[in-house]
Structure formats: structure tokens, C-alpha cells
Amino acid sequence: YDINSPILGNYPHTAALALWADLGVIGLALWLTMVGGGVVASFALLRQRPPDALARAALLAAFVAWPPA
């Protein structure tokens, strides 16, 4: 803990910044590729109109809204 430290930590507030700080540009690029691939695959599946399309669309919307937070 940083309570008695003269230098306080400045931690990243998002997953993307934490990955960038820990793994560098390559780790960030791999993570963005993984997230982007999941979003693209979800859109492709929703185009097929499965019976639970509304629930899948809600999960996709939550997932798309999550990374910038």
C-alpha cells in the first residue's frame, strides 16, 4: 500500500490503459484485436436472427460500452 510512501501511485483507470502499461503496445494491440473480433463475431451472429437475439444484443451493447469506461 502507498500510505507511507512519499510518491503516490498513479494507476490507470481503464483496462486498456492497464494493459498498455503492463504489456506494452503489442499487448494492447492483441487485446484490442480480441475485443474487436468478439464484437464483429457478435454482429455476424445477430444478423442470423437467433431466438434470443434481444438478450444477445443487450449483452453486446454492454460489452461495447465497457472498454472506454
Side-chain angles (χ1 to χ4, degrees):
Y1 297 103
D2 296 330
I3 295 172
N4 294 325
S5 175
I7 301 173
L8 296 178
N10 189 9
Y11 303 106
H13 300 288
T14 64
L17 288 177
L19 280 168
W20 192 1
D22 289 342
L23 302 177
V25 175
I26 294 173
L28 178 66
L30 289 173
W31 182 75
L32 289 174
T33 302
M34 181 182 64
V35 169
V39 170
V40 168
S42 297
F43 275 125
L45 186 63
L46 283 175
R47 285 187 181 173
Q48 298 174 1
R49 306 258 183 197
D52 58 347
L54 184 60
R56 289 177 187 240
L59 284 172
L60 178 62
F63 187 73
V64 169
W66 169 67

